[in-house]
Amino acid sequence: MRYRPLAWLVGTAAAIAISMPLVGCSPADQDEVNLYSARQENLIRPLLEDFTDQTGIRVNLVTGAADNLLQRLRHEGRNSPADLFITADAARLHQAREAGVLQAVDSDVLRANIPERYRDPEGLWFGLSTRARPILYHKSRVDPDALSTYEALTEEQWQGRICVRSSSNVYNQSLVAAMIATEGAEAAEEWATGIVANMARSPQGGDRDQIRAVADGVCDVAIANTYYLGLMLNSEGRDREAAEQIGVFWPNQDGRGTHVNVSGAGVTAHARHRDNAIRLLEFLTSAEAQEWYAEANQEYPIRDDVPASTTLRGFGEFQADDIELYRLGDHNAEAVRIMDRARWR
């Protein structure tokens, strides 16, 4: 495909138009849907308000860390009020599937809007947006002609020049899982070992921190998700200044393509408002919702017929890895073991 342009819930819980606790279901509650979302409130609230305006269905929203929300769903079991669960990364969606907290959905709309590789083969989860994880480099210190593949980053010329976040980060786990699926475990372990040998520093911080480190001269290249760079370019102050120094290189264009992943959602196993949850899920894949989300969060639309944001289009077109993303979850545990053996901390 050629783009065109994861304890209990802690921290802040947010609610949209919520007038009662998320318990039970009475006839008066039928025009509502309860959503657990690992995406930040500001990145989804306007879409939920539009959904309510168009359908009359009130959305009760609880936000939190992905791992905490999944543990909450597990603990609540059949007593959970949640109807729909949104999280990021195919590995987390796989964990939700394996935990038995999702149910299968058969929707012509979802099949039409979402490419097959971006949804669970049994309809347990569906991608809502995609994100790419390419190589980011400093425009003044790195000649992009010196870059080629993820594998080439293990070469001696990159010793002490790479920044990347911890192996506990699910985005990196999925990158290694993709390598296992396409190149085999031995090649994936060789790559992870080589990346550790070429790190400029011990992994620390998030993707934005890797981008800042490149801008500050701590390293020359980083592996990070494009949507972080896009958000920084659309911010103000230091982050924008840092992001403007960064170029995007699409690796493996003559082979398997650049690694991509998804944010996605699934209807919960014990949803009391199942039909409303499916309607909301379908709405989130509509052209209107996809276009807004692309601009607001700088992720690529899941739909082939909706363009990326102006910022992302500026990064250029690229060939994406076309692996079925459910396979990333299948290989997650092995990816973690490989990274541990490579001493990727």
Side-chain angles (χ1 to χ4, degrees):
M1 174 183 181
R2 189 164 293 277
Y3 281 85
R4 300 184 182 90
L6 168 155
W8 277 80
L9 176 65
V10 295
T12 302
I16 292 178
I18 188 167
S19 58
M20 60 190 70
L22 297 183
V23 294
C25 178
S26 67
D29 300 332
Q30 293 306 305
D31 291 333
E32 68 178 8
V33 61
N34 299 324
L35 170 62
Y36 283 6
S37 174
R39 308 312 304 267
Q40 295 178 18
E41 179 181 2
N42 65 300
L43 297 179
I44 195 171
R45 182 172 188 141
L47 284 178
L48 303 182
E49 291 174 343
D50 285 347
F51 174 74
T52 298
D53 290 342
Q54 294 182 28
T55 66
I57 298 172
R58 184 171 71 250
V59 181
N60 303 318
L61 172 68
V62 172
T63 62
D67 291 345
N68 296 332
L69 288 175
L70 179 55
Q71 183 170 343
R72 177 170 176 166
L73 280 168
R74 285 170 167 156
H75 182 87
E76 291 171 340
R78 64 179 56 256
N79 295 316
S80 178
D83 301 306
L84 189 67
F85 176 50
I86 293 178
T87 191
D89 198 277
R92 287 189 176 121
L93 290 162
H94 177 82
Q95 289 168 6
R97 172 194 165 108
E98 294 301 297
V101 300
L102 304 177
Q103 64 173 279
V105 169
D106 184 11
S107 165
D108 291 337
V109 172
L110 295 175
R111 279 195 297 270
N113 290 346
I114 305 171
E116 185 175 3
R117 65 187 173 279
Y118 296 143
R119 45 186 165 90
D120 179 76
E122 296 179 10
L124 286 158
W125 57 260
F126 300 85
L128 296 177
S129 61
T130 66
R131 66 274 298 276
R133 197 163 184 78
I135 299 170
L136 306 183
Y137 65 93
H138 195 280
K139 294 177 182 177
S140 298
R141 300 196 305 271
V142 176
D143 181 350
D145 288 340
L147 296 165
S148 58
T149 65
Y150 293 109
E151 290 83 354
L153 290 179
T154 65
E155 295 173 356
E156 186 178 359
Q157 66 171 312
W158 301 109
Q159 186 172 3
R161 301 176 68 186
I162 298 173
C163 282
V164 64
R165 63 198 290 183
S166 169
S167 63
S168 65
N169 172 249
V170 72
Y171 303 154
N172 286 333
Q173 294 170 12
S174 287
L175 175 58
V176 175
M179 290 187 173
I180 295 170
T182 58
E183 309 299 325
E186 184 177 348
E189 184 160 353
E190 182 179 350
W191 180 79
T193 300
I195 290 296
V196 171
N198 284 349
M199 289 180 182
R201 64 179 183 183
S202 297
Q204 54 189 271
D207 276 16
R208 288 183 179 87
D209 295 296
Q210 315 315 313
I211 295 169
R212 295 178 188 123
V214 173
D216 291 344
V218 176
C219 46
D220 292 329
V221 298
I223 301 172
N225 287 349
T226 47
Y227 77 92
Y228 289 106
L229 182 62
L231 290 171
M232 290 171 73
L233 286 168
N234 286 276
S235 66
E236 299 294 337
R238 177 178 177 242
D239 271 0
R240 180 168 182 171
E241 293 175 0
E244 288 174 342
Q245 303 177 54
I246 307 301
V248 177
F249 183 83
W250 303 111
N252 299 78
Q253 294 301 281
D254 295 327
R256 67 179 183 272
T258 297
H259 175 66
V260 297
N261 212 315
V262 291
S263 65
V267 176
T268 60
H270 306 289
R272 295 179 175 90
H273 308 96
R274 183 179 188 274
D275 291 344
N276 291 346
I278 294 174
R279 289 186 68 180
L280 176 55
L281 188 50
E282 292 174 342
F283 170 81
L284 292 172
T285 69
S286 67
E288 171 192 3
Q290 288 278 296
E291 185 174 356
W292 181 90
Y293 201 72
E295 290 290 344
N297 201 36
Q298 299 300 323
E299 290 188 286
Y300 291 94
I302 203 73
R303 294 175 54 142
D304 292 333
D305 60 344
V306 176
S309 70
T310 301
T311 299
L312 293 191
R313 291 199 300 272
F315 298 160
E317 298 183 0
F318 69 99
Q319 182 70 29
D321 188 343
D322 62 1
I323 184 176
E324 300 92 340
L325 291 192
Y326 74 88
R327 297 177 66 191
L328 303 186
D330 291 341
H331 292 291
N332 179 261
E334 187 173 16
V336 172
R337 290 193 295 269
I338 283 174
M339 298 171 88
D340 284 346
R341 289 197 296 269
R343 299 185 180 277
W344 188 327
R345 302 310 184 200

